[in-house]
PDB file of all heavy atoms in Angstrom:
ATOM      1  N   LEU A   8      -4.348  10.096  -2.961  1.00  0.00           N
ATOM      2  CA  LEU A   8      -3.237  10.539  -2.170  1.00  0.00           C
ATOM      3  C   LEU A   8      -2.402   9.334  -1.621  1.00  0.00           C
ATOM      4  O   LEU A   8      -1.199   9.311  -1.679  1.00  0.00           O
ATOM      5  CB  LEU A   8      -3.718  11.393  -0.992  1.00  0.00           C
ATOM      6  CG  LEU A   8      -2.635  11.990  -0.066  1.00  0.00           C
ATOM      7  CD1 LEU A   8      -1.616  12.831  -0.825  1.00  0.00           C
ATOM      8  CD2 LEU A   8      -3.323  12.796   1.020  1.00  0.00           C
ATOM      9  N   PHE A   9      -3.188   8.347  -1.145  1.00  0.00           N
ATOM     10  CA  PHE A   9      -2.496   7.101  -0.704  1.00  0.00           C
ATOM     11  C   PHE A   9      -1.749   6.478  -1.858  1.00  0.00           C
ATOM     12  O   PHE A   9      -0.600   6.020  -1.700  1.00  0.00           O
ATOM     13  CB  PHE A   9      -3.534   6.076  -0.143  1.00  0.00           C
ATOM     14  CG  PHE A   9      -2.834   4.783   0.187  1.00  0.00           C
ATOM     15  CD1 PHE A   9      -2.185   4.641   1.404  1.00  0.00           C
ATOM     16  CD2 PHE A   9      -2.875   3.709  -0.670  1.00  0.00           C
ATOM     17  CE1 PHE A   9      -1.533   3.439   1.701  1.00  0.00           C
ATOM     18  CE2 PHE A   9      -2.235   2.539  -0.427  1.00  0.00           C
ATOM     19  CZ  PHE A   9      -1.583   2.407   0.823  1.00  0.00           C
ATOM     20  N   ASP A  10      -2.332   6.411  -3.027  1.00  0.00           N
ATOM     21  CA  ASP A  10      -1.707   5.767  -4.194  1.00  0.00           C
ATOM     22  C   ASP A  10      -0.349   6.434  -4.518  1.00  0.00           C
ATOM     23  O   ASP A  10       0.622   5.734  -4.884  1.00  0.00           O
ATOM     24  CB  ASP A  10      -2.637   5.810  -5.425  1.00  0.00           C
ATOM     25  CG  ASP A  10      -3.796   4.876  -5.329  1.00  0.00           C
ATOM     26  OD1 ASP A  10      -3.740   3.933  -4.508  1.00  0.00           O
ATOM     27  OD2 ASP A  10      -4.770   5.053  -6.075  1.00  0.00           O
ATOM     28  N   GLU A  11      -0.285   7.745  -4.367  1.00  0.00           N
ATOM     29  CA  GLU A  11       0.992   8.456  -4.656  1.00  0.00           C
ATOM     30  C   GLU A  11       2.073   7.971  -3.660  1.00  0.00           C
ATOM     31  O   GLU A  11       3.210   7.702  -4.051  1.00  0.00           O
ATOM     32  CB  GLU A  11       0.811   9.953  -4.458  1.00  0.00           C
ATOM     33  CG  GLU A  11       0.028  10.625  -5.621  1.00  0.00           C
ATOM     34  CD  GLU A  11      -0.139  12.102  -5.337  1.00  0.00           C
ATOM     35  OE1 GLU A  11       0.762  12.743  -4.730  1.00  0.00           O
ATOM     36  OE2 GLU A  11      -1.181  12.678  -5.785  1.00  0.00           O
ATOM     37  N   GLU A  12       1.681   7.877  -2.384  1.00  0.00           N
ATOM     38  CA  GLU A  12       2.657   7.444  -1.356  1.00  0.00           C
ATOM     39  C   GLU A  12       3.031   5.941  -1.602  1.00  0.00           C
ATOM     40  O   GLU A  12       4.201   5.577  -1.454  1.00  0.00           O
ATOM     41  CB  GLU A  12       2.052   7.605   0.036  1.00  0.00           C
ATOM     42  CG  GLU A  12       1.847   9.047   0.449  1.00  0.00           C
ATOM     43  CD  GLU A  12       3.165   9.840   0.511  1.00  0.00           C
ATOM     44  OE1 GLU A  12       4.140   9.323   1.067  1.00  0.00           O
ATOM     45  OE2 GLU A  12       3.192  10.973   0.045  1.00  0.00           O
ATOM     46  N   TRP A  13       2.033   5.162  -1.946  1.00  0.00           N
ATOM     47  CA  TRP A  13       2.278   3.747  -2.252  1.00  0.00           C
ATOM     48  C   TRP A  13       3.289   3.566  -3.386  1.00  0.00           C
ATOM     49  O   TRP A  13       4.279   2.823  -3.256  1.00  0.00           O
ATOM     50  CB  TRP A  13       0.984   3.070  -2.591  1.00  0.00           C
ATOM     51  CG  TRP A  13       1.101   1.634  -3.010  1.00  0.00           C
ATOM     52  CD1 TRP A  13       1.203   1.141  -4.274  1.00  0.00           C
ATOM     53  CD2 TRP A  13       1.209   0.480  -2.138  1.00  0.00           C
ATOM     54  NE1 TRP A  13       1.353  -0.266  -4.233  1.00  0.00           N
ATOM     55  CE2 TRP A  13       1.339  -0.690  -2.970  1.00  0.00           C
ATOM     56  CE3 TRP A  13       1.163   0.324  -0.776  1.00  0.00           C
ATOM     57  CZ2 TRP A  13       1.463  -1.954  -2.436  1.00  0.00           C
ATOM     58  CZ3 TRP A  13       1.251  -0.984  -0.277  1.00  0.00           C
ATOM     59  CH2 TRP A  13       1.409  -2.076  -1.077  1.00  0.00           C
ATOM     60  N   LEU A  14       3.076   4.294  -4.459  1.00  0.00           N
ATOM     61  CA  LEU A  14       4.011   4.134  -5.607  1.00  0.00           C
ATOM     62  C   LEU A  14       5.415   4.583  -5.235  1.00  0.00           C
ATOM     63  O   LEU A  14       6.368   3.968  -5.710  1.00  0.00           O
ATOM     64  CB  LEU A  14       3.466   4.968  -6.797  1.00  0.00           C
ATOM     65  CG  LEU A  14       2.246   4.339  -7.506  1.00  0.00           C
ATOM     66  CD1 LEU A  14       1.682   5.321  -8.489  1.00  0.00           C
ATOM     67  CD2 LEU A  14       2.601   3.024  -8.122  1.00  0.00           C
ATOM     68  N   ASP A  15       5.520   5.618  -4.441  1.00  0.00           N
ATOM     69  CA  ASP A  15       6.842   6.076  -3.995  1.00  0.00           C
ATOM     70  C   ASP A  15       7.507   4.979  -3.155  1.00  0.00           C
ATOM     71  O   ASP A  15       8.664   4.747  -3.244  1.00  0.00           O
ATOM     72  CB  ASP A  15       6.697   7.336  -3.196  1.00  0.00           C
ATOM     73  CG  ASP A  15       8.027   7.943  -2.853  1.00  0.00           C
ATOM     74  OD1 ASP A  15       8.889   8.095  -3.714  1.00  0.00           O
ATOM     75  OD2 ASP A  15       8.264   8.250  -1.628  1.00  0.00           O
ATOM     76  N   TRP A  16       6.708   4.321  -2.278  1.00  0.00           N
ATOM     77  CA  TRP A  16       7.248   3.283  -1.390  1.00  0.00           C
ATOM     78  C   TRP A  16       7.625   2.019  -2.100  1.00  0.00           C
ATOM     79  O   TRP A  16       8.695   1.427  -1.866  1.00  0.00           O
ATOM     80  CB  TRP A  16       6.253   2.995  -0.279  1.00  0.00           C
ATOM     81  CG  TRP A  16       6.815   2.108   0.837  1.00  0.00           C
ATOM     82  CD1 TRP A  16       7.867   2.373   1.657  1.00  0.00           C
ATOM     83  CD2 TRP A  16       6.323   0.844   1.203  1.00  0.00           C
ATOM     84  NE1 TRP A  16       8.051   1.314   2.530  1.00  0.00           N
ATOM     85  CE2 TRP A  16       7.107   0.370   2.285  1.00  0.00           C
ATOM     86  CE3 TRP A  16       5.252   0.054   0.751  1.00  0.00           C
ATOM     87  CZ2 TRP A  16       6.912  -0.846   2.889  1.00  0.00           C
ATOM     88  CZ3 TRP A  16       5.085  -1.197   1.385  1.00  0.00           C
ATOM     89  CH2 TRP A  16       5.850  -1.640   2.413  1.00  0.00           C
ATOM     90  N   VAL A  17       6.770   1.510  -2.964  1.00  0.00           N
ATOM     91  CA  VAL A  17       7.041   0.234  -3.618  1.00  0.00           C
ATOM     92  C   VAL A  17       8.093   0.383  -4.689  1.00  0.00           C
ATOM     93  O   VAL A  17       8.729  -0.633  -5.092  1.00  0.00           O
ATOM     94  CB  VAL A  17       5.796  -0.508  -4.165  1.00  0.00           C
ATOM     95  CG1 VAL A  17       4.842  -0.878  -3.106  1.00  0.00           C
ATOM     96  CG2 VAL A  17       5.147   0.352  -5.241  1.00  0.00           C
ATOM     97  N   GLY A  18       8.299   1.572  -5.195  1.00  0.00           N
ATOM     98  CA  GLY A  18       9.373   1.799  -6.181  1.00  0.00           C
ATOM     99  C   GLY A  18       8.940   1.577  -7.605  1.00  0.00           C
ATOM    100  O   GLY A  18       7.825   1.121  -7.882  1.00  0.00           O
ATOM    101  N   PRO A  19       9.847   1.845  -8.539  1.00  0.00           N
ATOM    102  CA  PRO A  19       9.507   1.784  -9.953  1.00  0.00           C
ATOM    103  C   PRO A  19       9.597   0.440 -10.583  1.00  0.00           C
ATOM    104  O   PRO A  19       9.194   0.287 -11.787  1.00  0.00           O
ATOM    105  CB  PRO A  19      10.575   2.739 -10.542  1.00  0.00           C
ATOM    106  CG  PRO A  19      11.754   2.566  -9.663  1.00  0.00           C
ATOM    107  CD  PRO A  19      11.220   2.389  -8.288  1.00  0.00           C
ATOM    108  N   GLU A  20      10.084  -0.559  -9.912  1.00  0.00           N
ATOM    109  CA  GLU A  20      10.293  -1.917 -10.516  1.00  0.00           C
ATOM    110  C   GLU A  20       9.008  -2.796 -10.373  1.00  0.00           C
ATOM    111  O   GLU A  20       8.680  -3.189  -9.289  1.00  0.00           O
ATOM    112  CB  GLU A  20      11.453  -2.623  -9.846  1.00  0.00           C
ATOM    113  CG  GLU A  20      12.776  -1.919  -9.897  1.00  0.00           C
ATOM    114  CD  GLU A  20      13.231  -1.742 -11.354  1.00  0.00           C
ATOM    115  OE1 GLU A  20      12.938  -2.570 -12.178  1.00  0.00           O
ATOM    116  OE2 GLU A  20      13.802  -0.663 -11.648  1.00  0.00           O
ATOM    117  N   PRO A  21       8.342  -3.030 -11.504  1.00  0.00           N
ATOM    118  CA  PRO A  21       7.106  -3.853 -11.459  1.00  0.00           C
ATOM    119  C   PRO A  21       7.224  -5.180 -10.789  1.00  0.00           C
ATOM    120  O   PRO A  21       6.299  -5.706 -10.208  1.00  0.00           O
ATOM    121  CB  PRO A  21       6.684  -3.968 -12.921  1.00  0.00           C
ATOM    122  CG  PRO A  21       7.350  -2.805 -13.605  1.00  0.00           C
ATOM    123  CD  PRO A  21       8.614  -2.554 -12.850  1.00  0.00           C
ATOM    124  N   GLN A  22       8.467  -5.793 -10.821  1.00  0.00           N
ATOM    125  CA  GLN A  22       8.578  -7.116 -10.179  1.00  0.00           C
ATOM    126  C   GLN A  22       8.516  -7.044  -8.681  1.00  0.00           C
ATOM    127  O   GLN A  22       8.441  -8.037  -8.052  1.00  0.00           O
ATOM    128  CB  GLN A  22       9.897  -7.819 -10.682  1.00  0.00           C
ATOM    129  CG  GLN A  22      11.161  -7.134 -10.187  1.00  0.00           C
ATOM    130  CD  GLN A  22      11.666  -6.096 -11.206  1.00  0.00           C
ATOM    131  OE1 GLN A  22      10.942  -5.571 -11.981  1.00  0.00           O
ATOM    132  NE2 GLN A  22      12.980  -5.844 -11.094  1.00  0.00           N
ATOM    133  N   HIS A  23       8.539  -5.819  -8.119  1.00  0.00           N
ATOM    134  CA  HIS A  23       8.407  -5.648  -6.650  1.00  0.00           C
ATOM    135  C   HIS A  23       6.992  -5.189  -6.269  1.00  0.00           C
ATOM    136  O   HIS A  23       6.773  -4.947  -5.112  1.00  0.00           O
ATOM    137  CB  HIS A  23       9.412  -4.670  -6.149  1.00  0.00           C
ATOM    138  CG  HIS A  23      10.843  -5.059  -6.356  1.00  0.00           C
ATOM    139  ND1 HIS A  23      11.861  -4.189  -6.409  1.00  0.00           N
ATOM    140  CD2 HIS A  23      11.387  -6.296  -6.514  1.00  0.00           C
ATOM    141  CE1 HIS A  23      12.998  -4.841  -6.608  1.00  0.00           C
ATOM    142  NE2 HIS A  23      12.725  -6.130  -6.720  1.00  0.00           N
ATOM    143  N   TRP A  24       6.083  -5.042  -7.233  1.00  0.00           N
ATOM    144  CA  TRP A  24       4.756  -4.609  -6.931  1.00  0.00           C
ATOM    145  C   TRP A  24       3.867  -5.749  -6.538  1.00  0.00           C
ATOM    146  O   TRP A  24       3.571  -6.667  -7.292  1.00  0.00           O
ATOM    147  CB  TRP A  24       4.139  -3.911  -8.102  1.00  0.00           C
ATOM    148  CG  TRP A  24       4.815  -2.664  -8.604  1.00  0.00           C
ATOM    149  CD1 TRP A  24       5.746  -1.944  -7.867  1.00  0.00           C
ATOM    150  CD2 TRP A  24       4.623  -2.019  -9.833  1.00  0.00           C
ATOM    151  NE1 TRP A  24       6.139  -0.857  -8.646  1.00  0.00           N
ATOM    152  CE2 TRP A  24       5.518  -0.895  -9.836  1.00  0.00           C
ATOM    153  CE3 TRP A  24       3.848  -2.234 -10.934  1.00  0.00           C
ATOM    154  CZ2 TRP A  24       5.550   0.002 -10.890  1.00  0.00           C
ATOM    155  CZ3 TRP A  24       3.902  -1.343 -11.967  1.00  0.00           C
ATOM    156  CH2 TRP A  24       4.769  -0.241 -11.961  1.00  0.00           C
ATOM    157  N   PRO A  25       3.363  -5.713  -5.288  1.00  0.00           N
ATOM    158  CA  PRO A  25       2.463  -6.814  -4.833  1.00  0.00           C
ATOM    159  C   PRO A  25       1.056  -6.624  -5.354  1.00  0.00           C
ATOM    160  O   PRO A  25       0.682  -5.540  -5.790  1.00  0.00           O
ATOM    161  CB  PRO A  25       2.495  -6.673  -3.318  1.00  0.00           C
ATOM    162  CG  PRO A  25       2.761  -5.224  -3.086  1.00  0.00           C
ATOM    163  CD  PRO A  25       3.649  -4.800  -4.211  1.00  0.00           C
ATOM    164  N   GLN A  26       0.295  -7.692  -5.279  1.00  0.00           N
ATOM    165  CA  GLN A  26      -1.149  -7.612  -5.484  1.00  0.00           C
ATOM    166  C   GLN A  26      -1.666  -6.714  -4.304  1.00  0.00           C
ATOM    167  O   GLN A  26      -1.194  -6.848  -3.198  1.00  0.00           O
ATOM    168  CB  GLN A  26      -1.774  -8.992  -5.473  1.00  0.00           C
ATOM    169  CG  GLN A  26      -3.254  -9.030  -5.443  1.00  0.00           C
ATOM    170  CD  GLN A  26      -3.887  -8.870  -4.098  1.00  0.00           C
ATOM    171  OE1 GLN A  26      -3.305  -9.319  -3.067  1.00  0.00           O
ATOM    172  NE2 GLN A  26      -5.011  -8.236  -3.990  1.00  0.00           N
ATOM    173  N   ARG A  27      -2.620  -5.789  -4.563  1.00  0.00           N
ATOM    174  CA  ARG A  27      -3.093  -4.944  -3.491  1.00  0.00           C
ATOM    175  C   ARG A  27      -4.622  -4.732  -3.600  1.00  0.00           C
ATOM    176  O   ARG A  27      -5.122  -4.553  -4.734  1.00  0.00           O
ATOM    177  CB  ARG A  27      -2.369  -3.618  -3.603  1.00  0.00           C
ATOM    178  CG  ARG A  27      -2.637  -2.724  -2.383  1.00  0.00           C
ATOM    179  CD  ARG A  27      -2.186  -1.280  -2.666  1.00  0.00           C
ATOM    180  NE  ARG A  27      -3.302  -0.545  -3.220  1.00  0.00           N
ATOM    181  CZ  ARG A  27      -3.179   0.729  -3.662  1.00  0.00           C
ATOM    182  NH1 ARG A  27      -2.062   1.374  -3.638  1.00  0.00           N
ATOM    183  NH2 ARG A  27      -4.242   1.326  -4.108  1.00  0.00           N
ATOM    184  N   ALA A  28      -5.265  -4.727  -2.465  1.00  0.00           N
ATOM    185  CA  ALA A  28      -6.641  -4.336  -2.337  1.00  0.00           C
ATOM    186  C   ALA A  28      -6.729  -3.172  -1.440  1.00  0.00           C
ATOM    187  O   ALA A  28      -6.012  -3.055  -0.474  1.00  0.00           O
ATOM    188  CB  ALA A  28      -7.497  -5.493  -1.803  1.00  0.00           C
ATOM    189  N   CYS A  29      -7.589  -2.208  -1.779  1.00  0.00           N
ATOM    190  CA  CYS A  29      -7.788  -1.002  -0.991  1.00  0.00           C
ATOM    191  C   CYS A  29      -9.233  -0.873  -0.654  1.00  0.00           C
ATOM    192  O   CYS A  29     -10.085  -0.841  -1.591  1.00  0.00           O
ATOM    193  CB  CYS A  29      -7.278   0.217  -1.767  1.00  0.00           C
ATOM    194  SG  CYS A  29      -7.045   1.665  -0.738  1.00  0.00           S
ATOM    195  N   ILE A  30      -9.574  -0.765   0.631  1.00  0.00           N
ATOM    196  CA  ILE A  30     -10.930  -0.866   1.089  1.00  0.00           C
ATOM    197  C   ILE A  30     -11.253   0.320   1.981  1.00  0.00           C
ATOM    198  O   ILE A  30     -10.414   0.673   2.823  1.00  0.00           O
ATOM    199  CB  ILE A  30     -11.152  -2.145   1.866  1.00  0.00           C
ATOM    200  CG1 ILE A  30     -10.773  -3.359   1.007  1.00  0.00           C
ATOM    201  CG2 ILE A  30     -12.561  -2.246   2.447  1.00  0.00           C
ATOM    202  CD1 ILE A  30     -10.470  -4.602   1.827  1.00  0.00           C
ATOM    203  N   GLY A  31     -12.382   0.938   1.900  1.00  0.00           N
ATOM    204  CA  GLY A  31     -12.848   1.959   2.822  1.00  0.00           C
ATOM    205  C   GLY A  31     -13.397   1.261   4.023  1.00  0.00           C
ATOM    206  O   GLY A  31     -14.132   0.323   3.953  1.00  0.00           O
ATOM    207  N   ALA A  32     -13.013   1.750   5.219  1.00  0.00           N
ATOM    208  CA  ALA A  32     -13.438   1.073   6.470  1.00  0.00           C
ATOM    209  C   ALA A  32     -13.497   2.015   7.630  1.00  0.00           C
ATOM    210  O   ALA A  32     -12.816   3.058   7.649  1.00  0.00           O
ATOM    211  CB  ALA A  32     -12.425  -0.054   6.815  1.00  0.00           C
ATOM    212  N   THR A  33     -14.275   1.665   8.626  1.00  0.00           N
ATOM    213  CA  THR A  33     -14.256   2.390   9.897  1.00  0.00           C
ATOM    214  C   THR A  33     -13.111   1.825  10.722  1.00  0.00           C
ATOM    215  O   THR A  33     -13.085   0.648  11.025  1.00  0.00           O
ATOM    216  CB  THR A  33     -15.601   2.205  10.651  1.00  0.00           C
ATOM    217  OG1 THR A  33     -16.678   2.635   9.813  1.00  0.00           O
ATOM    218  CG2 THR A  33     -15.585   2.947  11.930  1.00  0.00           C
ATOM    219  N   LEU A  34     -12.148   2.694  11.028  1.00  0.00           N
ATOM    220  CA  LEU A  34     -10.945   2.274  11.790  1.00  0.00           C
ATOM    221  C   LEU A  34     -11.039   2.799  13.200  1.00  0.00           C
ATOM    222  O   LEU A  34     -11.846   3.690  13.504  1.00  0.00           O
ATOM    223  CB  LEU A  34      -9.672   2.805  11.089  1.00  0.00           C
ATOM    224  CG  LEU A  34      -9.464   2.279   9.623  1.00  0.00           C
ATOM    225  CD1 LEU A  34      -8.256   2.923   9.007  1.00  0.00           C
ATOM    226  CD2 LEU A  34      -9.387   0.748   9.598  1.00  0.00           C
ATOM    227  N   ALA A  35     -10.119   2.315  14.029  1.00  0.00           N
ATOM    228  CA  ALA A  35     -10.069   2.735  15.443  1.00  0.00           C
ATOM    229  C   ALA A  35      -9.835   4.248  15.498  1.00  0.00           C
ATOM    230  O   ALA A  35      -9.246   4.836  14.542  1.00  0.00           O
ATOM    231  CB  ALA A  35      -8.969   1.957  16.150  1.00  0.00           C
ATOM    232  N   ASP A  36     -10.268   4.850  16.588  1.00  0.00           N
ATOM    233  CA  ASP A  36     -10.133   6.305  16.726  1.00  0.00           C
ATOM    234  C   ASP A  36      -8.737   6.857  16.333  1.00  0.00           C
ATOM    235  O   ASP A  36      -7.750   6.378  16.800  1.00  0.00           O
ATOM    236  CB  ASP A  36     -10.399   6.706  18.167  1.00  0.00           C
ATOM    237  CG  ASP A  36     -11.888   6.620  18.524  1.00  0.00           C
ATOM    238  OD1 ASP A  36     -12.696   6.530  17.593  1.00  0.00           O
ATOM    239  OD2 ASP A  36     -12.168   6.657  19.768  1.00  0.00           O
ATOM    240  N   GLY A  37      -8.792   7.815  15.432  1.00  0.00           N
ATOM    241  CA  GLY A  37      -7.547   8.472  14.997  1.00  0.00           C
ATOM    242  C   GLY A  37      -6.797   7.756  13.869  1.00  0.00           C
ATOM    243  O   GLY A  37      -5.998   8.382  13.192  1.00  0.00           O
ATOM    244  N   SER A  38      -7.066   6.514  13.631  1.00  0.00           N
ATOM    245  CA  SER A  38      -6.370   5.788  12.573  1.00  0.00           C
ATOM    246  C   SER A  38      -6.994   6.119  11.234  1.00  0.00           C
ATOM    247  O   SER A  38      -8.187   6.078  11.052  1.00  0.00           O
ATOM    248  CB  SER A  38      -6.475   4.248  12.764  1.00  0.00           C
ATOM    249  OG  SER A  38      -5.663   3.803  13.797  1.00  0.00           O
ATOM    250  N   LEU A  39      -6.136   6.515  10.316  1.00  0.00           N
ATOM    251  CA  LEU A  39      -6.610   6.840   8.963  1.00  0.00           C
ATOM    252  C   LEU A  39      -6.250   5.765   7.959  1.00  0.00           C
ATOM    253  O   LEU A  39      -6.824   5.693   6.847  1.00  0.00           O
ATOM    254  CB  LEU A  39      -5.967   8.142   8.476  1.00  0.00           C
ATOM    255  CG  LEU A  39      -6.209   9.345   9.390  1.00  0.00           C
ATOM    256  CD1 LEU A  39      -5.526  10.601   8.902  1.00  0.00           C
ATOM    257  CD2 LEU A  39      -7.741   9.611   9.503  1.00  0.00           C
ATOM    258  N   VAL A  40      -5.323   4.845   8.316  1.00  0.00           N
ATOM    259  CA  VAL A  40      -4.877   3.752   7.439  1.00  0.00           C
ATOM    260  C   VAL A  40      -4.449   2.544   8.249  1.00  0.00           C
ATOM    261  O   VAL A  40      -3.819   2.737   9.328  1.00  0.00           O
ATOM    262  CB  VAL A  40      -3.798   4.210   6.461  1.00  0.00           C
ATOM    263  CG1 VAL A  40      -2.529   4.712   7.203  1.00  0.00           C
ATOM    264  CG2 VAL A  40      -3.465   3.173   5.412  1.00  0.00           C
ATOM    265  N   GLU A  41      -4.695   1.397   7.774  1.00  0.00           N
ATOM    266  CA  GLU A  41      -4.159   0.134   8.316  1.00  0.00           C
ATOM    267  C   GLU A  41      -3.762  -0.725   7.113  1.00  0.00           C
ATOM    268  O   GLU A  41      -4.538  -0.778   6.120  1.00  0.00           O
ATOM    269  CB  GLU A  41      -5.171  -0.574   9.186  1.00  0.00           C
ATOM    270  CG  GLU A  41      -4.665  -1.837   9.834  1.00  0.00           C
ATOM    271  CD  GLU A  41      -5.540  -2.453  10.949  1.00  0.00           C
ATOM    272  OE1 GLU A  41      -6.517  -1.750  11.342  1.00  0.00           O
ATOM    273  OE2 GLU A  41      -5.259  -3.516  11.370  1.00  0.00           O
ATOM    274  N   ILE A  42      -2.655  -1.397   7.232  1.00  0.00           N
ATOM    275  CA  ILE A  42      -2.156  -2.228   6.138  1.00  0.00           C
ATOM    276  C   ILE A  42      -1.743  -3.598   6.695  1.00  0.00           C
ATOM    277  O   ILE A  42      -1.080  -3.690   7.696  1.00  0.00           O
ATOM    278  CB  ILE A  42      -0.978  -1.582   5.409  1.00  0.00           C
ATOM    279  CG1 ILE A  42      -1.406  -0.246   4.840  1.00  0.00           C
ATOM    280  CG2 ILE A  42      -0.521  -2.517   4.243  1.00  0.00           C
ATOM    281  CD1 ILE A  42      -0.279   0.536   4.186  1.00  0.00           C
ATOM    282  N   ALA A  43      -2.199  -4.646   6.009  1.00  0.00           N
ATOM    283  CA  ALA A  43      -1.767  -6.051   6.310  1.00  0.00           C
ATOM    284  C   ALA A  43      -1.076  -6.577   5.090  1.00  0.00           C
ATOM    285  O   ALA A  43      -1.554  -6.366   3.961  1.00  0.00           O
ATOM    286  CB  ALA A  43      -2.954  -6.899   6.698  1.00  0.00           C
ATOM    287  N   VAL A  44       0.054  -7.310   5.285  1.00  0.00           N
ATOM    288  CA  VAL A  44       0.747  -7.835   4.136  1.00  0.00           C
ATOM    289  C   VAL A  44       1.140  -9.297   4.389  1.00  0.00           C
ATOM    290  O   VAL A  44       1.270  -9.773   5.540  1.00  0.00           O
ATOM    291  CB  VAL A  44       2.049  -7.064   3.834  1.00  0.00           C
ATOM    292  CG1 VAL A  44       1.728  -5.607   3.482  1.00  0.00           C
ATOM    293  CG2 VAL A  44       3.095  -7.111   4.930  1.00  0.00           C
ATOM    294  N   LEU A  45       1.319 -10.017   3.288  1.00  0.00           N
ATOM    295  CA  LEU A  45       1.864 -11.372   3.284  1.00  0.00           C
ATOM    296  C   LEU A  45       3.128 -11.281   2.409  1.00  0.00           C
ATOM    297  O   LEU A  45       3.072 -10.725   1.299  1.00  0.00           O
ATOM    298  CB  LEU A  45       0.934 -12.354   2.677  1.00  0.00           C
ATOM    299  CG  LEU A  45       1.512 -13.721   2.268  1.00  0.00           C
ATOM    300  CD1 LEU A  45       2.020 -14.482   3.469  1.00  0.00           C
ATOM    301  CD2 LEU A  45       0.436 -14.527   1.555  1.00  0.00           C
ATOM    302  N   ALA A  46       4.266 -11.733   2.948  1.00  0.00           N
ATOM    303  CA  ALA A  46       5.504 -11.637   2.168  1.00  0.00           C
ATOM    304  C   ALA A  46       6.214 -13.004   2.239  1.00  0.00           C
ATOM    305  O   ALA A  46       6.041 -13.804   3.169  1.00  0.00           O
ATOM    306  CB  ALA A  46       6.411 -10.558   2.760  1.00  0.00           C
ATOM    307  N   LEU A  47       7.075 -13.206   1.207  1.00  0.00           N
ATOM    308  CA  LEU A  47       8.021 -14.307   1.206  1.00  0.00           C
ATOM    309  C   LEU A  47       9.243 -13.921   2.015  1.00  0.00           C
ATOM    310  O   LEU A  47       9.580 -12.745   2.099  1.00  0.00           O
ATOM    311  CB  LEU A  47       8.459 -14.716  -0.156  1.00  0.00           C
ATOM    312  CG  LEU A  47       7.392 -15.406  -0.982  1.00  0.00           C
ATOM    313  CD1 LEU A  47       7.919 -15.588  -2.413  1.00  0.00           C
ATOM    314  CD2 LEU A  47       6.990 -16.725  -0.416  1.00  0.00           C
TER     315      LEU A  47
END
């Protein structure tokens, strides 16, 4: 389900697709997702 949303967000152009790691984790109460990015 996350991958569907991700693909919609990053768009169809492969040159805009970042390297990505997806990890299962215990997050703070109520949080279902956390994302950290490095950008130019």
Side-chain angles (χ1 to χ4, degrees):
L8 181 58
F9 175 82
D10 287 342
E11 288 178 32
E12 293 297 317
W13 175 265
L14 287 172
D15 186 51
W16 188 63
V17 296
E20 300 299 326
Q22 67 269 23
H23 297 156
W24 296 347
Q26 170 278 327
R27 189 192 92 184
C29 195
I30 303 159
T33 302
L34 300 176
D36 286 345
S38 288
L39 302 177
V40 61
E41 183 168 351
I42 301 176
V44 300
L45 165 63
L47 286 176

